[in-house]
Structures are given as structure tokens and as C-alpha cells.
Amino acid sequence: MKSRVQRWSSWRSREFVVREAGDTGPIVLAVRGVFGAAIDISSLRRTEKTVEGGGPAATVWGAGRRRFIVPSEFDSVDVFRRSVGSSSTSGFGPWKVTRLADEEIELVAGRMSGRGPWVLRVEDTCKELRITWNEGKRPGTLTFFGPGSGGGKEFHNDNRTRETISVTGPGYLLLDADHWTLDSC
């Protein structure tokens, strides 16, 4: 899961290839939105003759920031820029996407907490995670992306606010909740 720095930016909707020849495993992207607009980002699978969607997707509202994971079987990303509400403009400024290197992604270790969607890196040594979602008030979601996990494997129960989950690393965790607390191995 090594990578060199890659950046993409545009004032318009655009598709671009994120996976280089010989590149395997999931790819973590940092996405910055646009003031006064929303951007929809999704993973695509491109061949010589076709482009297929169906991969993970997310929306970034306004100038917000979000991390996004492109699973191992997808090689391309589509960013669709759109206006929000009754606005006739699609915002001000360009959106930006940056491919993150492993050392830029926080490693799961000990007790951690955070807000909103976030990506953490898991190594082979970590097997069990204890998670508390939204201070025990509402469930959240966790998706694990490993080299062979396809579109990501979801590890959560819609009715639980506290869970113990076993994962097999290496890979990345995408945690999504207003607030989460994680205790690891």
C-alpha cells in the first residue's frame, strides 16, 4: 500500500484514473469540496471499451473535507460538481483530490476517537476493535478495505451503539458517525 503523491483539481466535473500499472490494494483520497456547491465522488472500473460504476460513493457539501477509499478492483474516480438548493451557480473555486501515502493515514493504535467520516490504517497485528458509536446513543458504520476485500466489507449492526469487531489487516477502516471511540488490540 505504497504510493507517490498525486493531485487532481478542476472547476468542472471530471473523471480521472487513480491506479497506475502494478498498483494494487485500496487507495485513500483526501477530497476538498467547493464553497457554494456539492461534489459527488464515486469509484469506477475502466476497461479499454467500457466504464462501470457501482463502487463506493460519497458527497462533499460546500468547502468540506472528506477522506474517500477507492477499493482494489476500481481504478478510476468520477467527480460530479453540482449546485445546491435553488442556486444557479455551481460554487466558487476548484475541488481538489489528493492521493494520501500510508504515512499520512493514522495507524490504529490504543484508544482513539474522532468525528465524522474518517479513515484509519490497520496493520497485520491488529485483530479486534471495540467501538462506541455516537457516545452510545446511535449506531454508526465501519467498512474495512483490504487488498482482497472488494468494494469493502461492512462491519456494523444497525441496532448497536457498542460493538466488538474482528478485522484482518493490512487495510483501511472507514468509520462514519457524528462521534466514534475506538479501542484496539
Side-chain angles (χ1 to χ4, degrees):
M1 293 189 289
K2 298 287 182 200
S3 68
R4 66 179 185 85
V5 175
Q6 293 175 297
R7 291 186 173 92
W8 302 268
S9 179
S10 181
W11 286 68
R12 298 176 184 195
S13 298
R14 179 176 163 204
E15 179 201 343
F16 50 91
V17 175
V18 294
R19 192 171 305 282
E20 298 175 343
D23 203 358
T24 62
I27 295 171
V28 180
L29 303 175
V31 181
R32 192 196 78 194
V34 177
F35 178 77
I39 59 168
D40 298 319
I41 183 167
S42 57
S43 300
L44 303 173
R45 188 178 300 117
R46 178 175 276 288
T47 66
E48 288 182 27
K49 298 179 182 181
T50 64
V51 177
E52 296 176 23
T59 298
V60 179
W61 298 95
R65 297 174 188 268
R66 181 181 183 120
R67 290 191 174 184
F68 182 78
I69 299 177
V70 179
S72 53
E73 75 273 11
F74 292 88
D75 57 4
S76 185
V77 167
D78 182 58
V79 177
F80 179 74
R81 182 180 179 142
R82 61 186 167 88
S83 60
V84 291
S86 61
S87 175
S88 61
T89 67
S90 63
F92 304 98
W95 51 261
K96 295 182 181 183
V97 175
T98 303
R99 181 176 177 164
L100 298 177
D102 278 351
E103 52 274 2
E104 296 176 274
I105 303 160
E106 196 172 3
L107 181 64
V108 170
R111 185 173 185 87
M112 310 172 82
S113 66
R115 296 190 172 278
W118 200 247
V119 175
L120 299 171
R121 185 168 44 101
V122 179
E123 290 186 340
D124 284 332
T125 57
C126 189
K127 300 290 183 206
E128 190 173 274
L129 306 172
R130 288 175 301 288
I131 301 168
T132 301
W133 301 111
N134 301 306
E135 299 169 345
K137 297 174 185 164
R138 292 178 318 283
T141 61
L142 181 142
T143 309
F144 175 73
F145 295 85
S149 66
K153 182 176 180 182
E154 289 195 17
F155 284 96
H156 68 276
N157 183 320
D158 291 334
N159 300 318
R160 293 194 182 153
T161 59
R162 290 179 174 81
E163 317 187 64
T164 299
I165 297 166
S166 296
V167 297
T168 55
Y172 301 105
L173 297 174
L174 173 61
L175 295 102
D176 197 355
D178 292 336
H179 186 271
W180 50 265
T181 303
L182 177 105
D183 289 301
S184 64
C185 329

